[in-house]
Structures are given as C-alpha cells and as structure tokens.
Amino acid sequence: MIIALTGTPGTGKTSICALLEQHYRIIDLNALIKEEGLHTGKDEQRGSLEADMDALQDRVDELVTDKTATVIIEGHLSHLLTGIDGHIVLRTRPLVLAQRLENRGYPPQKVQENMEAEALDVILVEAVERYERVYELETTTTIPEDAALEVHSMIQRLESGDYEQLSGYLPGRFDWSEEVFG
Ligand SMILES: Nc1ncnc2c1ncn2[C@@H]1O[C@H](COP(=O)(O)OP(=O)(O)OP(=O)(O)O)[C@@H](O)[C@H]1O
Ligand SMILES: [Mg+2]
C-alpha cells in the first residue's frame, strides 16, 4: 500500500515520518528532488526548486516495486503523484504554522504565502479533487510523537480497509480563513 503524507510546509510531515521509520519505508520527496536533481530549475523569487513532476513520478514508480510493503511518500507534492492508495493531509492552524516557519528562518513573504495556502485549504482541495481516500489530521496542538501514533493507526485502518473507523478524519473540519483574511 502506498500512502501520501502531504500538507503545507511546516505541518510536520518529516518530523512524523522520522518517528515511523521502524514501521514503514519512507520516501522523502524533497530529498529526492534535491539529491537526484528532479527539478526544472529554481524559482528565484521563492528560492525553491521547481519539481519536475514527470521525472519524480517515474523515479517513485521505480523505487516502489514491492507493493506488498506499506510505503509512506512524504512531501507537500506527494498528493500530486498517481498510484496512491490513501492520503493523509496534515493541517495546522495558520498562526501556529507561521510561528514554525518563522523559527525556520523563512522570510515574511514565504511565511505569509504558506499561511494563506493553509487557510485556503489549497493542498486538501488538490487532493480531494484527484482522489477518494483523503483524510485530514490536525497537528496544531499535539506533539510529534502523538501525531505519529495517530498516523500509524490511520494507516493500519487503511490497510485493513476499515474506512468507517476513519470517518473522524474526513475532510472539511477546518475553517481558518478568518484567522488570516479577517
Ligand atoms: N503534532 C506535531 N506533528 C509534527 N510536527 C510538529 C507537531 N507539533 C509541532 N511540530 C513541529 O513542527 C515542525 C514541523 O516541521 P517539519 O519539517 O516536520 O514539517 P514538514 O511538513 O516536513 O515541512 P516541509 O514541507 O517544509 O518539509 C517541527 O519543528 C516539529 O517539531
Ligand atoms: Mg519536510
């Protein structure tokens, strides 16, 4: 089974995956893009690499040959790949997200951009438009250890086809537009 763990930068994908390494094979898309040069160039204004989605898809297909083991593909572009069996979108209240990104040293414009994207549910909408099994997990007030346990249990439910038990994670529970747009 292939799980995409996605969400706006700073929602906790990498931190959570670091705690799940004993249980799952993890593919870190950001690392793959950087280390293997799977990009079309640099967005100078944003200071980020523009991922080459076709090359990324091909590389992921190559890496995931054993479909019997569960793999987590983590990164804010993971929901744009095909062949995913379940999507977990991490969500963080924009003001908390902003604090995390400021702590990382992100410039104000980049912080604002990500806060707005989170308030507008950009990644969630992209995932829901493409796929059926999309679930949201909030990481605003939990600690990474508890969030990792929750992701682990969500994946176990996906593996066993126990979708009813995932109803509490169905999309549409967060509306943070007021927080950012007033
Ligand atoms: N419940 C939580 N789950 C995960 N991370 C949390 C949680 N609460 C606080 N954090 C903190 O939020 C930060 C998340 O950073 P992390 O690099 O994991 O995000 P990311 O989603 O991988 O971002 P990017 O898309 O830029 O790679 C870390 O500093 C982590 O300790
Ligand atoms: Mg990350």
Side-chain angles (χ1 to χ4, degrees):
M1 170 162 275
I2 308 178
I3 306 292
L5 185 66
T6 187
T8 307
T11 49
K13 304 174 291 293
T14 304
S15 306
I16 288 173
C17 283
L19 297 164
L20 291 174
E21 270 170 356
Q22 301 123 299
H23 300 284
Y24 303 105
R25 180 173 168 209
I26 312 283
I27 296 180
D28 174 346
L29 286 189
N30 289 343
L32 209 57
I33 292 166
K34 228 189 213 168
E35 286 160 16
E36 302 196 7
L38 306 178
H39 48 79
T40 52
K42 197 169 177 183
D43 181 331
E44 291 300 341
Q45 220 187 347
R46 285 209 171 88
S48 56
L49 295 171
E50 297 248 35
D52 179 341
M53 288 310 294
D54 290 335
L56 198 56
Q57 179 76 57
D58 288 347
R59 188 67 183 115
V60 167
D61 290 344
E62 255 172 34
L63 287 170
V64 187
T65 44
D66 177 8
K67 306 253 180 201
T68 54
T70 295
V71 181
I72 304 178
I73 303 181
E74 75 104 336
H76 71 284
L77 300 173
S78 60
H79 61 288
L80 301 176
L81 296 172
T82 59
I84 306 288
D85 301 297
H87 290 77
I88 299 174
V89 184
L90 298 183
R91 302 302 309 268
T92 303
R93 196 171 264 287
L95 292 175
V96 172
L97 188 74
Q99 192 59 58
R100 288 184 196 169
L101 297 177
E102 275 168 28
N103 293 345
R104 262 189 199 181
Y106 273 22
Q109 195 201 334
K110 209 166 162 185
V111 172
Q112 182 66 26
E113 225 174 75
N114 282 302
M115 251 174 93
E116 289 178 8
E118 185 62 357
L120 292 171
D121 311 321
V122 170
I123 289 190
L124 177 74
V125 170
E126 284 175 351
V128 167
E129 274 172 3
R130 287 171 173 78
Y131 292 100
E132 229 171 279
R133 299 217 185 290
V134 179
Y135 302 96
E136 288 184 290
L137 174 66
E138 189 180 0
T139 56
T140 306
T141 54
T142 52
I143 55 169
E145 286 73 12
D146 289 339
L149 282 176
E150 217 165 343
V151 168
H152 189 31
S153 104
M154 290 170 83
I155 294 176
Q156 286 172 327
R157 289 168 192 181
L158 281 165
E159 284 171 336
S160 59
D162 200 358
Y163 305 123
E164 291 242 319
Q165 294 287 331
L166 286 162
S167 57
Y169 301 101
L170 284 172
R173 289 172 300 137
F174 309 110
D175 182 0
W176 292 321
S177 47
E178 285 274 310
E179 198 165 294
V180 177
F181 302 106

